[in-house]
Amino acid sequence: MTDLQVSSMPQNFPPDFVWGVATSAFQIEGGAQLDGKGPSIWDRFCQQPHVIADASHGLVACDHYHRWQDDVKMIHGLGVDAYRFSISWPRVQPLGQGAWNTQGLDFYDRLVDALLAHNVSPSVTLNHWDLPDALQQTGGWANRETVHHFVEYAQGVARRIGDRVSALTTHNEPWVVAHLGHESGIFAPGIKNRATASQVSHHLLLSHGLALQALRADRQQAQLGIVLNLAPMHPATDSAEDQAKTKLEDGLLLRWYLDPIFNGAYPEDVLEHLGRDAPQIQSGDLAAIGQTLDFLGVNYYSRSVVSAKGTWDVKQSGLPLTDMSWEVYPQGLTELLLRLKKDYPVPPIVITENGAAFVDDFQNGRIKDTQRTSYLRQHIAAVSSAMKQGVPVVGYMVWSLMDNFEWASGYAKRFGIVHVDYETQQRTLKDSAIWYREFLTAQKAQRNLDRPAEKSLAAEKQTATGDR
Ligand code: FCB
């Protein structure tokens, strides 16, 4: 039994609420040089000294490229409705343009079919950061041509698997690609230039909008959206300086992405702040970015505390911290969701990532990750609270299904609800996974009470087919 009881959990989730787990290609697949896959910017980045904390790489990762069938069974065993994963662009189109790699497309085709055969809805992200390295050689996301290559890639993938996936997400966390990849340079491709970063953010948004237009012209049936990393920003003190800085940071992380998508314009204060580093925008770009979304994906981990003096010591708040030194701040998720509803005409929202890294204590084959269970439990309650106040949240996905390559932190930080032994590739359900499974079982029992008609239909069908 888990240490935290399921019975005390909120029960107001509607019967069609989608529960899931999430991963991304580079973080779990491995098979980096197999079956015609081209290199990505992350393959190249990992070869540089001192950029990954444990000097690791994604050559093998969780070896999901070979173990996907067992992984699908494991996902099914958790009782989730959906699995969010990403397509490795260089696996399916090694140069990022032109020729397609059939073996790469076949891999995802089989994965999608296996998920469906196990009653799990595939939710697909097209860009979870692993841009084909060949495109980086011609400027990557800073080059406007990449926008058009992305649209072609999106269409190619969607034509192959779009008939069987429930959701297609253009980009995961464009702020991370732009800012961490091109301004601070701590992520691939490791560029440190603010003007480049702002141009990249614009190209990511533009490619998102143009891809949505192209997919709709193709009459794609999957739900179409984008995933943003969002956090409420709190000033460290009441000082005017801290408040002004907080407003700016809110502009850079939230409004820079939300305003053009929902209001057709970049925020004036941020444009002014960027000055000559503001992006070059062509006529028609903003109209293209503002496509109607079927859903907005929100990744939430913690709040941000902003000090005009520079860095703020997270230990000051006295709140529990995760192994990433991120505060455990579930009320921030409710606050964020209420703010989204207040300030924007939001479509249905899916919490596409939420979870925590902790140092797991592996004892006699069991991982008692009580802190992670508590984290998930509190954040699910925070979602429930926002829903009670009218925010249209329709799904929640745990980051992550299993421990994996945590970018610049390498394998040192473990976010999984399933433990991965990287020597043997053995997967072991942590207590948090067992808790999530029990929680979902309870949700399903509730669903059956809510939908008695469907329940009896299902029972009739089983009797008719002699099932069980
Ligand atoms: C998010 C990323 C995801 C994972 C989590 C911890 O920013 O989308 O790949 O690294 O953080």
Side-chain angles (χ1 to χ4, degrees), residues 24 27 128-129 172-173 176 299 301 326 353 399 406-407 415:
S24 86
Q27 294 178 277
H128 203 122
W129 309 349
N172 177 69
E173 303 189 348
V176 170
N299 291 354
Y301 289 92
W326 297 344
E353 286 181 29
W399 184 273
E406 178 46 36
W407 310 112
F415 273 89

Side-chain angles (χ1 to χ4, degrees), residues 175 179 229-238 242-258 269-270 299-300 302-307 310 312 327 329 331-337 339-340 343:
W175 177 88
H179 181 74
N229 52 308
L230 303 174
M233 300 277 169
H234 294 164
T237 72
D238 287 343
D242 282 357
Q243 293 197 21
K245 180 85 186 296
T246 304
K247 180 167 179 264
L248 175 63
E249 293 294 332
D250 177 81
L252 288 162
L253 181 77
L254 289 90
R255 290 181 285 117
W256 185 257
Y257 296 91
L258 293 162
D269 59 330
V270 182
N299 291 354
Y300 178 82
S302 189
R303 67 167 175 173
S304 278
V305 179
V306 182
S307 162
W312 184 79
E327 289 174 338
Y329 197 76
Q331 60 272 47
L333 180 52
T334 312
E335 179 188 330
L336 171 70
L337 290 168
R339 187 261 176 105
L340 289 175
D343 288 355

